[in-house]
Amino acid sequence: MTGIDALAARLRAAIGSRRVLTDRQQLRTYECDGLAHYKVIPALVALPGTAEQVAAVVRECAAAGVPFVARGSGTGLSGGALPHADGVLIVTSQLREILDVRPEDERAVVQPGVINLQVTKAATPHGYYYAPDPSSQQICSIGGNVAENSGGAHCLKYGFTTNHVTGLEVVTPDGDLVRLGGPAPDTPGYDLLGAFVGSEGTLGVATEVTVKLTRLPETVRTLLAAFGSTDQAGAATSAIIAAGVVPAAIEMMDALAIEAAEAAVRCGYPAGAGAVLIVELDGPAAEVDAQFDEVSALCAAHGAFETRIAADDTERALIWRGRKSAFAAVGRISPDYIVQDGVIPRTALPEVLRRIGEVAAEHGVRVANVFHAGDGNLHPLVLFDDTVPGQADRAETVSGAILDLCIEHGGSITGEHGVGVDKARYMPRMFSDADLDTMQLVRCAFDPDGIANPGKVFPTPRLCGERPGRRQGAHPLHEQDVAEVF
């Protein structure tokens, strides 16, 4: 009996035979997340139904020295839930209960497998909703949102997942169940909650999440403005923020993204638009009305040739339909594509978008741009045909060049999709060796054996007994007695 076979037998005893998968055809279901460019078949899959079962699986992995990877709905776009070929994939989708909704405290307590939009549906009868709204909110899970610190269209005004999580129950990499934070807004001591949110499964597995609920706004008004170019739309975005208006969302789509959305969902955006902006304002009616007039005037002043205002929720949903479907819609105009996720200052939008177009043309590929313009979070979709020799390599080159552009303009290689396996190699372009080593000291504190989602985030593991990287000799923080090498 192999080590994995023995582990599988112990897991069946711990959580039940039907919750442990070892058949290769069943395992292939889990070979990738939403980024299908990377595929790995796990050694086995565990489907725990309770927090205690998650802890039992992790304890067995720790005892056997076998790596594990946590997975929610599998909608991630950075390969963060890519399995380990010799490890266990822990799927949390069966932990899907909303445990408590407390409007009087503006809190909800949910399990990690709960779908993002379900939290809002549970809170709406009480006059509340859950603000973070990734485009995949109809299928993505809260546990995955916590792992990646997901955002969404409305993060411009309301912030990311980390701004809406006040407490977690987590399983540590040695199998202990612990609590971080709680219902109160700020727990004393080190911010371990903040460290865990966005750690991409490298510090443990969330089994319960306490989230903030946001009061439903009195009024919501949505506007779609069509421009001749992304330069004009970008300038309008900067002008709106500079005027002191902070919309709930400002989204941009360029001509190629609009073409894809029209082919997929017939959203009816203005013909001939080089770019469209979707601007949504919410809050007290008097404030929204005043700001809405100002936003309309600023769009017109910066070249908008057509403006549409949603008269009701149905028209509002129609305006958002094209944007929400954009990633999937690109499949209508290209057999393959790479979704990128970088951040730039919004004042750099016109220049960076021009440079993306130039780089794409130089390499003979197309790039569709659809993104959160309000906070400069780009989502370029690099289109290619994998059956054409060399196109995939050119697409990868363009994808990397886009991240370089983000860094050059003072931005980041990720805004909300995470680093995962896809961008780990770009981390040294943004951070120094000392920066990366310091980050890994945090990881070592939680996971000294390096079994929680190994191979993600960091390009070259250097501490905790992991394989050696570029550095030779003692680590400088170790020499200064600042850190211990486990």
Side-chain angles (χ1 to χ4, degrees), residues 101 103 117-129 213 215-216:
V101 177
L117 192 58
Q118 290 176 342
V119 182
T120 287
K121 289 180 177 179
T124 297
H126 305 283
Y128 287 85
Y129 75 109
L213 299 177
R215 180 60 104 168
L216 287 167

Side-chain angles (χ1 to χ4, degrees), residues 159-172:
F160 290 74
T161 298
T162 190
N163 303 112
H164 297 269
V165 172
T166 65
L168 292 171
E169 177 188 74
V170 305
V171 176
T172 64

Side-chain angles (χ1 to χ4, degrees), residues 171-247:
V171 176
T172 64
D174 57 3
D176 289 336
L177 266 172
V178 301
R179 288 193 174 272
L180 307 177
D186 189 14
T187 303
Y190 293 120
D191 186 14
L192 299 180
L193 179 68
F196 195 94
V197 177
S199 61
E200 304 191 31
T202 61
L203 305 184
V205 185
T207 52
E208 183 184 291
V209 187
T210 301
V211 300
K212 293 180 183 178
L213 299 177
T214 301
R215 180 60 104 168
L216 287 167
E218 179 184 354
T219 300
V220 179
R221 297 193 66 184
T222 306
L223 169 151
L224 182 141
F227 297 83
S229 69
T230 54
D231 279 15
Q232 292 176 324
T237 299
S238 293
I240 290 168
I241 302 298
V245 178
V246 182

Side-chain angles (χ1 to χ4, degrees), residues 109-120:
V109 182
V110 305
Q111 292 185 318
V114 169
I115 301 303
N116 176 290
L117 192 58
Q118 290 176 342
V119 182
T120 287

Side-chain angles (χ1 to χ4, degrees), residues 141-327:
S141 67
I142 293 296
N145 293 171
V146 168
E148 302 294 344
N149 190 24
S150 302
H154 293 82
C155 63
L156 171 62
K157 182 175 181 178
Y158 293 103
F160 290 74
T161 298
T162 190
N163 303 112
H164 297 269
V165 172
T166 65
L168 292 171
E169 177 188 74
V170 305
V171 176
T172 64
D174 57 3
D176 289 336
L177 266 172
V178 301
R179 288 193 174 272
L180 307 177
D186 189 14
T187 303
Y190 293 120
D191 186 14
L192 299 180
L193 179 68
F196 195 94
V197 177
S199 61
E200 304 191 31
T202 61
L203 305 184
V205 185
T207 52
E208 183 184 291
V209 187
T210 301
V211 300
K212 293 180 183 178
L213 299 177
T214 301
R215 180 60 104 168
L216 287 167
E218 179 184 354
T219 300
V220 179
R221 297 193 66 184
T222 306
L223 169 151
L224 182 141
F227 297 83
S229 69
T230 54
D231 279 15
Q232 292 176 324
T237 299
S238 293
I240 290 168
I241 302 298
V245 178
V246 182
I250 308 180
E251 299 291 294
M252 188 191 298
M253 298 171 65
D254 70 4
L256 195 53
I258 295 169
E259 177 189 338
E262 292 291 351
V265 298
R266 295 186 176 90
C267 50
Y269 290 167
V276 295
L277 282 185
I278 299 172
V279 184
E280 188 158 278
L281 296 163
D282 66 9
E287 177 184 304
V288 169
D289 289 344
Q291 291 182 339
F292 203 81
D293 291 341
E294 187 171 9
V295 168
S296 298
L298 288 169
C299 286
H302 287 83
F305 64 82
E306 183 175 340
T307 300
R308 298 178 184 175
I309 299 171
D312 52 34
D313 286 346
T314 300
E315 291 189 8
R316 178 183 171 224
L318 185 60
I319 286 176
W320 277 106
R321 187 179 181 189
R323 170 60 185 92
K324 291 286 187 177
S325 68
F327 285 5

Side-chain angles (χ1 to χ4, degrees), residues 37 336 338 360 362-366 382-399:
H37 189 62
D336 302 286
I338 297 171
E362 290 168 8
H363 291 84
V365 299
R366 297 182 296 167
V382 185
L383 315 185
F384 67 100
D385 185 344
D386 203 23
T387 65
V388 178
Q391 272 205 16
D393 290 339
R394 295 201 301 274
E396 284 282 1
T397 299
V398 170
S399 180

